[in-house]
Amino acid sequence: MMPINSSLIKQLGPIIGCQTAFKYMGKSKGGKGGMVINMSSILGFVPFSATPAYVASKHGLIGLTRSYGLPHHLEKEGIIFAALCPTYTDTDLIKSTKTNTLVPGLDISNRDLCSPELMAKGVMKLLEDRINGSTLVVTKSLGTRYIGVQEELKNIPVE
């Protein structure tokens, strides 16, 4: 049997969290609806050779958020799903990682580090805008920006 790795757990946690939101917040279960904000990463949109399993989990989380963010779920349950997708955030963990990295040769000292305050502004923007299925990228250099599905993919029938 293959051991469960942390990337799989990173995918399983949000899946269970979204299902729990349906159970306790969903209108079909007597709830009043609400909003779920999943914590993804800018790495949910781009490849990164140093941490491919982590990147896969963040790509999966964006897919989960956008899929639960389709009109079917909102109409049935009254729950809005969104994802916050930041770059590295300037925290004590990141500061310690600069000198004690788990990935040999990875230097994040020159990365676009977000402040915790900018992250909080991103959360507030999601709460205020209430765009179902949205993915909000947060970077120091660009601020906050919604990233949608590529136009050429929107009309491909998948259901």
Short mmCIF file of all heavy atoms in Angstrom, two decimals, residues 58-92:
data_model
loop_
_atom_site.label_atom_id
_atom_site.label_comp_id
_atom_site.label_asym_id
_atom_site.label_seq_id
_atom_site.Cartn_x
_atom_site.Cartn_y
_atom_site.Cartn_z
N LYS A 58 -2.87 22.60 -4.85
CA LYS A 58 -3.44 23.94 -5.03
C LYS A 58 -4.22 24.04 -6.33
O LYS A 58 -5.25 24.72 -6.39
CB LYS A 58 -2.35 25.01 -4.93
CG LYS A 58 -1.68 25.06 -3.56
CD LYS A 58 -2.72 25.20 -2.44
CE LYS A 58 -2.09 25.23 -1.08
NZ LYS A 58 -3.07 25.38 0.01
N HIS A 59 -3.75 23.38 -7.40
CA HIS A 59 -4.55 23.31 -8.63
C HIS A 59 -5.88 22.62 -8.33
O HIS A 59 -6.94 23.06 -8.81
CB HIS A 59 -3.79 22.52 -9.71
CG HIS A 59 -2.86 23.32 -10.54
ND1 HIS A 59 -1.64 23.76 -10.09
CD2 HIS A 59 -2.96 23.75 -11.81
CE1 HIS A 59 -1.02 24.42 -11.05
NE2 HIS A 59 -1.81 24.44 -12.11
N GLY A 60 -5.82 21.54 -7.56
CA GLY A 60 -7.04 20.81 -7.20
C GLY A 60 -8.01 21.66 -6.40
O GLY A 60 -9.23 21.60 -6.59
N LEU A 61 -7.48 22.48 -5.50
CA LEU A 61 -8.33 23.33 -4.67
C LEU A 61 -9.04 24.39 -5.50
O LEU A 61 -10.21 24.71 -5.27
CB LEU A 61 -7.51 23.97 -3.56
CG LEU A 61 -8.26 24.78 -2.52
CD1 LEU A 61 -9.45 24.02 -1.94
CD2 LEU A 61 -7.33 25.21 -1.41
N ILE A 62 -8.36 24.92 -6.51
CA ILE A 62 -9.00 25.88 -7.40
C ILE A 62 -10.12 25.19 -8.19
O ILE A 62 -11.21 25.73 -8.34
CB ILE A 62 -7.97 26.56 -8.31
CG1 ILE A 62 -7.15 27.54 -7.47
CG2 ILE A 62 -8.64 27.27 -9.48
CD1 ILE A 62 -5.97 28.16 -8.17
N GLY A 63 -9.85 23.98 -8.68
CA GLY A 63 -10.89 23.22 -9.38
C GLY A 63 -12.08 22.92 -8.49
O GLY A 63 -13.24 23.01 -8.91
N LEU A 64 -11.82 22.57 -7.24
CA LEU A 64 -12.89 22.30 -6.28
C LEU A 64 -13.73 23.55 -6.04
O LEU A 64 -14.97 23.50 -6.09
CB LEU A 64 -12.28 21.82 -4.95
CG LEU A 64 -13.25 21.50 -3.83
CD1 LEU A 64 -13.96 20.17 -4.10
CD2 LEU A 64 -12.51 21.45 -2.49
N THR A 65 -13.07 24.68 -5.82
CA THR A 65 -13.77 25.94 -5.56
C THR A 65 -14.63 26.34 -6.76
O THR A 65 -15.79 26.72 -6.60
CB THR A 65 -12.76 27.05 -5.24
OG1 THR A 65 -12.00 26.66 -4.08
CG2 THR A 65 -13.45 28.38 -4.99
N ARG A 66 -14.06 26.26 -7.95
CA ARG A 66 -14.81 26.64 -9.14
C ARG A 66 -15.97 25.68 -9.42
O ARG A 66 -17.02 26.11 -9.88
CB ARG A 66 -13.88 26.71 -10.35
CG ARG A 66 -12.96 27.91 -10.30
CD ARG A 66 -12.00 27.95 -11.45
NE ARG A 66 -11.30 29.22 -11.51
CZ ARG A 66 -10.31 29.45 -12.32
NH1 ARG A 66 -9.89 28.54 -13.18
NH2 ARG A 66 -9.70 30.63 -12.31
N SER A 67 -15.78 24.41 -9.12
CA SER A 67 -16.85 23.43 -9.36
C SER A 67 -17.99 23.61 -8.36
O SER A 67 -19.17 23.58 -8.74
CB SER A 67 -16.30 22.00 -9.29
OG SER A 67 -15.38 21.79 -10.35
N TYR A 68 -17.67 23.80 -7.08
CA TYR A 68 -18.72 24.07 -6.10
C TYR A 68 -19.30 25.46 -6.31
O TYR A 68 -20.39 25.76 -5.85
CB TYR A 68 -18.21 23.92 -4.67
CG TYR A 68 -18.17 22.49 -4.18
CD1 TYR A 68 -17.14 22.04 -3.39
CD2 TYR A 68 -19.19 21.59 -4.50
CE1 TYR A 68 -17.10 20.74 -2.91
CE2 TYR A 68 -19.16 20.29 -4.04
CZ TYR A 68 -18.11 19.87 -3.25
OH TYR A 68 -18.08 18.58 -2.78
N GLY A 69 -18.57 26.32 -7.02
CA GLY A 69 -19.05 27.66 -7.30
C GLY A 69 -19.94 27.77 -8.52
O GLY A 69 -20.27 28.87 -8.94
N LEU A 70 -20.35 26.65 -9.08
CA LEU A 70 -21.28 26.68 -10.22
C LEU A 70 -22.70 26.98 -9.73
O LEU A 70 -23.04 26.72 -8.57
CB LEU A 70 -21.23 25.36 -10.98
CG LEU A 70 -19.92 25.12 -11.74
CD1 LEU A 70 -19.88 23.71 -12.31
CD2 LEU A 70 -19.74 26.15 -12.85
N PRO A 71 -23.55 27.53 -10.58
CA PRO A 71 -24.90 27.94 -10.18
C PRO A 71 -25.72 26.82 -9.52
O PRO A 71 -26.49 27.10 -8.60
CB PRO A 71 -25.55 28.38 -11.49
CG PRO A 71 -24.42 28.81 -12.34
CD PRO A 71 -23.27 27.91 -11.98
N HIS A 72 -25.55 25.59 -9.94
CA HIS A 72 -26.32 24.48 -9.36
C HIS A 72 -26.21 24.45 -7.84
O HIS A 72 -27.22 24.34 -7.13
CB HIS A 72 -25.83 23.14 -9.95
CG HIS A 72 -26.31 21.95 -9.19
ND1 HIS A 72 -27.57 21.43 -9.36
CD2 HIS A 72 -25.70 21.18 -8.26
CE1 HIS A 72 -27.72 20.39 -8.55
NE2 HIS A 72 -26.60 20.23 -7.88
N HIS A 73 -24.98 24.53 -7.33
CA HIS A 73 -24.78 24.45 -5.89
C HIS A 73 -25.28 25.69 -5.16
O HIS A 73 -25.86 25.59 -4.08
CB HIS A 73 -23.30 24.21 -5.57
CG HIS A 73 -22.78 22.94 -6.13
ND1 HIS A 73 -23.15 21.70 -5.65
CD2 HIS A 73 -21.93 22.69 -7.15
CE1 HIS A 73 -22.55 20.76 -6.34
NE2 HIS A 73 -21.80 21.33 -7.27
N LEU A 74 -25.08 26.86 -5.76
CA LEU A 74 -25.55 28.09 -5.13
C LEU A 74 -27.08 28.10 -5.04
O LEU A 74 -27.64 28.43 -3.99
CB LEU A 74 -25.06 29.32 -5.91
CG LEU A 74 -25.51 30.67 -5.35
CD1 LEU A 74 -25.01 30.87 -3.92
CD2 LEU A 74 -25.03 31.80 -6.25
N GLU A 75 -27.74 27.71 -6.11
CA GLU A 75 -29.20 27.70 -6.12
C GLU A 75 -29.75 26.70 -5.11
O GLU A 75 -30.75 26.98 -4.44
CB GLU A 75 -29.71 27.38 -7.53
CG GLU A 75 -29.44 28.51 -8.52
CD GLU A 75 -29.56 28.07 -9.98
OE1 GLU A 75 -29.99 26.92 -10.24
OE2 GLU A 75 -29.20 28.88 -10.86
N LYS A 76 -29.13 25.55 -5.00
CA LYS A 76 -29.62 24.51 -4.10
C LYS A 76 -29.29 24.81 -2.63
O LYS A 76 -30.12 24.61 -1.75
CB LYS A 76 -29.01 23.16 -4.49
CG LYS A 76 -29.47 22.01 -3.62
CD LYS A 76 -28.86 20.69 -4.08
CE LYS A 76 -29.29 19.58 -3.15
NZ LYS A 76 -28.52 18.36 -3.37
N GLU A 77 -28.05 25.28 -2.38
CA GLU A 77 -27.58 25.39 -1.00
C GLU A 77 -27.41 26.82 -0.48
O GLU A 77 -27.31 27.03 0.72
CB GLU A 77 -26.25 24.64 -0.84
CG GLU A 77 -26.32 23.18 -1.23
CD GLU A 77 -27.24 22.34 -0.35
OE1 GLU A 77 -27.69 22.83 0.71
OE2 GLU A 77 -27.50 21.19 -0.72
N GLY A 78 -27.32 27.81 -1.38
CA GLY A 78 -27.15 29.19 -0.95
C GLY A 78 -25.75 29.49 -0.41
O GLY A 78 -25.57 30.43 0.35
N ILE A 79 -24.77 28.68 -0.81
CA ILE A 79 -23.40 28.87 -0.34
C ILE A 79 -22.54 29.36 -1.49
O ILE A 79 -22.53 28.77 -2.57
CB ILE A 79 -22.81 27.58 0.24
CG1 ILE A 79 -23.66 27.08 1.42
CG2 ILE A 79 -21.37 27.80 0.70
CD1 ILE A 79 -23.26 25.71 1.93
N ILE A 80 -21.80 30.44 -1.24
CA ILE A 80 -20.85 30.99 -2.21
C ILE A 80 -19.48 30.41 -1.88
O ILE A 80 -19.07 30.37 -0.71
CB ILE A 80 -20.81 32.53 -2.12
CG1 ILE A 80 -22.15 33.10 -2.57
CG2 ILE A 80 -19.65 33.10 -2.92
CD1 ILE A 80 -22.31 34.58 -2.31
N PHE A 81 -18.78 29.95 -2.91
CA PHE A 81 -17.42 29.41 -2.75
C PHE A 81 -16.45 30.33 -3.47
O PHE A 81 -16.68 30.73 -4.61
CB PHE A 81 -17.33 28.00 -3.32
CG PHE A 81 -18.05 26.98 -2.49
CD1 PHE A 81 -19.40 26.74 -2.69
CD2 PHE A 81 -17.39 26.29 -1.49
CE1 PHE A 81 -20.08 25.82 -1.91
CE2 PHE A 81 -18.06 25.36 -0.71
CZ PHE A 81 -19.41 25.12 -0.92
N ALA A 82 -15.33 30.64 -2.81
CA ALA A 82 -14.29 31.47 -3.40
C ALA A 82 -12.94 30.97 -2.89
O ALA A 82 -12.87 30.26 -1.88
CB ALA A 82 -14.49 32.93 -3.02
N ALA A 83 -11.87 31.35 -3.59
CA ALA A 83 -10.52 30.94 -3.16
C ALA A 83 -9.60 32.15 -3.14
O ALA A 83 -9.60 32.96 -4.06
CB ALA A 83 -9.96 29.87 -4.10
N LEU A 84 -8.83 32.24 -2.09
CA LEU A 84 -7.77 33.25 -1.96
C LEU A 84 -6.47 32.59 -2.43
O LEU A 84 -6.13 31.51 -1.96
CB LEU A 84 -7.66 33.71 -0.51
CG LEU A 84 -6.75 34.89 -0.25
CD1 LEU A 84 -7.31 36.15 -0.91
CD2 LEU A 84 -6.57 35.12 1.24
N CYS A 85 -5.77 33.24 -3.35
CA CYS A 85 -4.59 32.65 -3.99
C CYS A 85 -3.40 33.60 -3.88
O CYS A 85 -3.06 34.29 -4.85
CB CYS A 85 -4.90 32.34 -5.45
SG CYS A 85 -6.39 31.37 -5.70
N PRO A 86 -2.75 33.63 -2.72
CA PRO A 86 -1.64 34.58 -2.54
C PRO A 86 -0.30 34.05 -3.02
O PRO A 86 -0.13 32.85 -3.24
CB PRO A 86 -1.62 34.75 -1.02
CG PRO A 86 -2.03 33.40 -0.52
CD PRO A 86 -3.08 32.92 -1.51
N THR A 87 0.66 34.98 -3.15
CA THR A 87 2.05 34.59 -3.26
C THR A 87 2.54 34.32 -1.84
O THR A 87 1.73 34.29 -0.90
CB THR A 87 2.89 35.72 -3.90
OG1 THR A 87 2.77 36.89 -3.09
CG2 THR A 87 2.45 36.01 -5.30
N TYR A 88 3.84 34.17 -1.65
CA TYR A 88 4.37 33.99 -0.31
C TYR A 88 3.94 35.17 0.56
O TYR A 88 3.93 36.32 0.11
CB TYR A 88 5.90 33.95 -0.32
CG TYR A 88 6.48 32.74 -1.01
CD1 TYR A 88 7.00 32.85 -2.29
CD2 TYR A 88 6.52 31.52 -0.37
CE1 TYR A 88 7.56 31.75 -2.92
CE2 TYR A 88 7.07 30.41 -0.99
CZ TYR A 88 7.59 30.53 -2.27
OH TYR A 88 8.13 29.45 -2.89
N THR A 89 3.63 34.87 1.82
CA THR A 89 3.24 35.91 2.75
C THR A 89 4.35 36.09 3.78
O THR A 89 4.90 35.11 4.28
CB THR A 89 1.92 35.55 3.45
OG1 THR A 89 0.93 35.33 2.43
CG2 THR A 89 1.45 36.65 4.36
N ASP A 90 4.68 37.31 4.07
CA ASP A 90 5.78 37.65 4.96
C ASP A 90 5.40 37.32 6.40
O ASP A 90 4.85 38.16 7.12
CB ASP A 90 6.13 39.13 4.80
CG ASP A 90 7.46 39.49 5.44
OD1 ASP A 90 8.17 38.58 5.88
OD2 ASP A 90 7.78 40.69 5.48
N THR A 91 5.67 36.09 6.79
CA THR A 91 5.36 35.60 8.14
C THR A 91 6.63 35.05 8.78
O THR A 91 7.66 34.89 8.11
CB THR A 91 4.30 34.48 8.10
OG1 THR A 91 4.87 33.38 7.38
CG2 THR A 91 3.02 34.95 7.44
N ASP A 92 6.56 34.72 10.06
CA ASP A 92 7.71 34.12 10.75
C ASP A 92 8.12 32.81 10.09
O ASP A 92 9.31 32.51 10.00
CB ASP A 92 7.40 33.89 12.23
CG ASP A 92 7.32 35.19 13.02
OD1 ASP A 92 7.85 36.22 12.53
OD2 ASP A 92 6.74 35.18 14.11
#
